[in-house]
Structure formats: C-alpha cells, structure tokens
Amino acid sequence: MKQDLIVILDLGSTQNTVVARQIRELGVYSEIHPHDITADELKSFENLKGLILNGGENRIVGGKPVEVSPELYNIGCPVIAIDYPQAECEKQYNTLPDPAVLQKFIFEDCGAAANWNMKNFIEDQTELIRQQVGDKKVLLALSGGVDSSVVAAMLIKAIGQQLICVHVNHGLMRKNESESVVKVFRDELNANLIYVDASDRFLGKLERVADPEQKRKIIGSEFIRVFEEEARKLEGIDFLGQGTIYPDIIESGTKTAKMVKSHHNVGGLPEDLKFELVEPLKQLFKDEVRACGVELGLPHDMVYRQPFPGPGLGVRCLGAITRDRLEAVRESDAILREEFAKAGLDKKVWQYFTVAPDFKSVGMKNNARVLEYMIIIRAINTIDAMTASVEKVDWDVLERITERILAEVKNVNRVCYDMSPKPPATIEFE
Ligand code: XMP
C-alpha cells in the first residue's frame, strides 16, 4: 500500500467526518469504520499507523453503551480515545483535540507519513479491487452521474474487461447525455458497455401518471427491472460495483448514528440475484470523488457536472409526461446550459435547469392566437441543498436565453424566471 492509514472507529460521535477531514487535510489518509470491527480485520490493513476511538452523544444504543473489543488495544499501533470514558488507552480526550494535538499524535506517536493524494489512493484501490475481484466479473449500473462514472473509471483501470457496465437510457436524460456516456466509456476508455435504450418502455409506463411520487416510484422500480433483465442475460457475475460515497453511508445511518434516510443506489434487486459489492469510493467525500475522477482522466464536464435527480427530466416535465413537453424541457435545458457556460455561470451557480408546467398559455404566432407551453428557468445556490437562494442572473443573459428558447424550442411561447428561495419552495418543482 502506498498510503499510511489512520482508522477512526465510530462509537457514536457526530464528529467522525470532521476528524477524518482534519487528518486528510494533514495529508494522511483516514478511514471511518464501525465500532465492532475485529482486531483481525484491523490487522489486515497493511499500513495502519494509528487508531482513534471516537465516542460521543450516540454512544448508547438500545439502552447499552457501545464498546470496542479489548483486543483492539493490542494491535500494535497507538490508540487514542475521544469522549469514550471506558477506553483502556493512555491518551484520552473529552472533546475533539485541537489540530496541534492531533498532528502530534499522527506524525510523532503514530509515525505516519503525509502521503495521501489521489495518485496513491487510486493505486491502493486498484490493488484492493484486484485482490477482492480476482479473475471474476463485476457488473455496474453506469448512469453517467459523477459517482457511477468515477467508479467505472476506477474499475476499468483495475480490471479492464472484467467490468461490465450497463447504461439504461430511461428517456429522461438531458440532451446528449447518454451519447456522451457511450462516447467516453465505450469509445475512449474501451469499456465493456451495454447500452439499453428503454425510453419507450419508461414513457409508456409513465403515460397519464401525474402524481410526482408515483412517477418517482415507476422510474425507480422500472430502472431496477431493466437492470435486472440485463443482469440475468449475463453469466458468471459475482460482483456489483456501486458508486457509494461517504455521505451515502452517513445518510443511511452507521451502526450508532440515527437513521437519517434510507439510501440505495441499485438497491431492490431480487433476492436470488446475489452479488458481493465493490465500493471503491465509499470512503471519499464528494470533492475527493471529483478529484479522483480528474486523476483518472475523465472529462471535466462529467466530473464537475451539477446535481441531477435520479428521475431526471421526469420531475421537470410536471404532471403527466407528454413527449412534446418533455422535448421542450430537454431542448430548453440544453440552451440554458449552453448560455450559462458562455456567461461563465456554469462555474458559479450550483444548480440550474428548466421545467415545463402541464398547462398551456395563450400567445401570438403568425398573427394567430396559439396555446403553447411555458418554460420556467430556475437557478439556485446552496451549500447542502437544504436551503437555497436564487442566483441574480444578469438581465442580458436572461434575455438571450429567453430569445433562444422562444425561437428554437417547439411548442413554447412564454419563459419565466423562478424567484423563490428554499424554503418555502423546494429546488425541484415536484
Ligand atoms: P429539493 O427539490 O428537495 O431538492 O429541494 C434537493 C436536491 O435533491 C435533488 N433531488 C433529487 N435527487 N432523486 C435524486 O437523486 C430525486 O428524486 C430528487 N429530487 C430532488 C434536487 O435536484 C436538488 O439538488
């Protein structure tokens, strides 16, 4: 292994990620593991240099305090405890030690080297993936989102043709999105990629369905069904690659933390399709995932793209989806993105998109009154998507976008700008 490792054991602290980030900022790789990890598992980490028992407010689970196995104190590396009074180690702290103390522990007591960087991370993960997978095959649902793309690139580097990517085009992708997945992964990275155009199937299932939650359910379950059908056609697959990243794990609740929300990427596969998971990014924060993607040679646009909901344009073509209105959303979104990029706003604004409500408004075209769709532009800034403020887009830019949408997008005669912050509005419309 290229990188030294400090392990943080989660004993109910809400500060695990803060500690992990502090250590990574010092240039040392750190991982967070559950409190019930065994001494043998810890000993199997080649470059383990130190252990932090990180207790805290969620240390009582089911009426009992969470404890680590006493064997962990004798695995041969320095141990410190934070807010964990039962600890049997020399160094104990009631609260998070200040950075200088942490620095002293890591570099002097543990003798760790500051060798955490993406190059080394990728080399280490490549070796770990090869050890885990051997000569077996891995299946991956490649949506083209940041996480699945970076996992794909990592797995291609590690096991090449043993990775089989499945890209399901549900017909709700943005303009040229599926094409770019095929171009980057099949043509440039020589990936073993199965492309499934399931647009008609999805749009058929969604026909006349207006309820947003129902739409989401249909898109989610149909996705799993299509993926399952492809998986059944393949033989001899033992592993499933997943773009799980560290925030996904926190959001699902660790063994001590409160359950925040259940999270699954390709959860919901039938019981008889059993795969072992390969999750090489599960210890990375989002910014680190992007850095990893850049290091692996993925295009900047793919790695730094704005968040895009799983149900895609399906939740931006409001109410019951129709093909003409979906096309209006897709085309107007492409214009918005193009003009934002020209104005340099793509690097500044967190999320920007268009939506089309499910009604028509009256307008004049060729001296006749026509009922056509309305496009609403939304551009917001946020840190964590919990609250959001509206970007004050320059009037000239908005005018140019409006002119282009009205001239180039079929069936549209009106463009509006959404001025609502979150709360009370949400970022998406449904
Ligand atoms: P809201 O609309 O709740 O959105 O303010 C917050 C963030 O989440 C994204 N979003 C979704 N992402 N599946 C996803 O993967 C969904 O169903 C979904 N709904 C909203 C939204 O784009 C924003 O970034």
Side-chain angles (χ1 to χ4, degrees):
M1 291 290 124
K2 296 273 181 189
Q3 307 181 117
D4 288 346
L5 171 66
I6 302 288
V7 164
I8 299 160
L9 292 191
D10 172 21
L11 282 101
S13 173
T14 51
Q15 305 279 305
N16 294 311
T17 54
V18 176
V19 181
R21 294 224 82 155
Q22 267 189 15
I23 298 171
R24 289 186 196 184
E25 267 155 35
L26 295 170
V28 179
Y29 183 51
S30 68
E31 288 185 354
I32 303 157
H33 288 274
H35 67 276
D36 56 1
I37 193 166
T38 64
D40 284 344
E41 280 173 299
L42 278 174
K43 282 185 204 156
S44 74
F45 298 143
E46 253 176 55
N47 281 9
L48 180 64
K49 296 290 179 184
L51 193 57
I52 298 177
L53 309 178
N54 201 19
E57 57 195 62
N58 299 323
R59 208 172 58 239
I60 311 290
V61 174
K64 278 194 289 188
V66 160
E67 298 205 7
V68 300
S69 150
E71 289 179 2
L72 300 198
Y73 299 105
N74 302 314
I75 56 165
C77 69
V79 182
I80 59 168
I82 305 169
D83 194 6
Y84 178 43
Q86 301 95 321
E88 295 166 28
C89 54
E90 245 174 64
K91 288 204 171 83
Q92 294 217 28
Y93 300 93
N94 295 330
T95 54
L96 194 59
D98 66 51
V101 174
L102 206 56
Q103 194 162 351
K104 184 175 168 301
F105 171 70
I106 286 159
F107 294 114
E108 291 178 26
D109 300 353
C110 302
N115 50 15
W116 149 248
N117 59 51
M118 272 310 144
K119 231 187 188 66
N120 287 342
F121 176 80
I122 291 166
E123 278 191 39
D124 284 351
Q125 286 303 324
T126 302
E127 196 179 320
L128 290 169
I129 293 166
R130 286 181 185 152
Q131 276 172 17
Q132 185 188 3
V133 172
D135 59 0
K136 302 274 175 26
K137 288 183 182 152
V138 181
L139 183 64
L140 174 75
L142 175 58
S143 67
V146 179
D147 305 339
S148 73
S149 298
V150 177
V151 169
M154 181 88 102
L155 287 166
I156 291 166
K157 181 176 164 67
I159 55 168
Q161 296 290 308
Q162 286 164 256
L163 173 72
I164 300 163
C165 302
V166 175
H167 176 72
V168 177
N169 179 357
H170 51 26
L172 306 165
M173 309 289 283
R174 288 173 292 191
K175 192 172 178 175
N176 294 330
E177 206 160 26
S178 284
E179 289 82 351
S180 122
V181 168
V182 173
K183 180 171 163 285
V184 169
F185 288 97
R186 185 185 281 164
D187 303 347
E188 290 167 20
L189 296 176
N190 196 25
N192 207 338
L193 171 70
I194 299 171
Y195 170 73
V196 188
D197 183 356
S199 310
D200 287 339
R201 178 168 168 171
F202 276 80
L203 295 181
K205 291 264 172 193
L206 287 165
E207 214 168 333
R208 286 189 285 278
V209 180
D211 177 62
E213 282 317 304
Q214 195 62 25
K215 283 165 71 178
R216 276 195 171 76
K217 267 201 196 113
I218 291 173
I219 297 166
S221 60
E222 206 53 26
F223 180 86
I224 289 165
R225 229 166 275 156
V226 174
F227 186 72
E228 181 200 340
E229 284 170 21
E230 293 305 318
R232 287 195 193 282
K233 287 184 206 160
L234 302 163
E235 296 207 334
I237 307 243
D238 293 285
F239 295 91
L240 188 69
Q242 277 207 344
T244 316
I245 71 170
Y246 190 64
D248 300 336
I249 295 178
I250 315 174
E251 286 187 0
S252 299
T254 59
K255 287 180 183 167
T256 55
K258 277 186 295 198
M259 190 77 162
V260 182
K261 88 173 187 205
S262 74
H263 183 103
H264 29 213
N265 289 335
V266 191
L269 283 175
E271 273 291 298
D272 68 316
L273 272 181
K274 280 210 173 67
F275 299 109
E276 190 183 316
L277 295 181
V278 185
E279 301 174 291
L281 309 180
K282 72 166 185 278
Q283 290 286 343
L284 295 189
F285 297 98
K286 195 79 183 188
D287 54 323
E288 296 169 340
V289 172
R290 295 191 210 273
C292 184
V294 169
E295 185 65 37
L296 285 162
L298 288 179
H300 186 274
D301 284 359
M302 191 167 247
V303 168
Y304 281 92
R305 65 180 224 160
Q306 52 167 324
F308 186 58
L313 301 181
V315 290
R316 296 179 182 168
C317 185
L318 306 185
I321 298 169
T322 56
R323 285 178 193 251
D324 60 345
R325 199 154 47 84
L326 181 61
E327 227 22 59
V329 176
R330 200 188 326 267
E331 291 300 323
S332 57
D333 172 77
I335 292 172
L336 178 76
R337 285 192 288 140
E338 217 178 289
E339 292 299 327
F340 262 43
K342 274 193 212 154
L345 289 172
D346 57 333
K347 292 182 188 66
K348 177 172 178 246
V349 183
W350 198 81
Q351 200 173 8
Y352 46 98
F353 54 88
T354 62
V355 299
D358 56 346
F359 59 82
K360 292 180 174 177
S361 79
V362 73
M364 291 288 289
K365 274 192 184 169
N366 304 323
N367 289 327
R369 286 163 71 84
V370 278
L371 285 168
E372 288 186 319
Y373 298 126
M374 167 198 290
I375 289 294
I376 302 172
I377 298 172
R378 185 139 176 79
I380 58 95
N381 290 307
T382 176
I383 291 174
D384 55 9
M386 303 296 281
T387 62
S389 60
V390 174
E391 170 72 16
K392 290 184 182 143
V393 181
D394 187 71
W395 198 256
D396 292 343
V397 176
L398 283 178
E399 262 180 357
R400 198 156 46 244
I401 295 166
T402 303
E403 274 166 24
R404 280 198 60 193
I405 291 175
L406 293 177
E408 297 171 36
V409 182
K410 283 196 199 109
N411 306 312
V412 173
N413 64 4
R414 198 178 289 272
V415 176
C416 298
Y417 189 70
D418 183 355
M419 295 291 291
S420 329
K422 174 179 180 176
T426 49
I427 296 174
E428 303 287 348
F429 276 55
E430 61 174 34

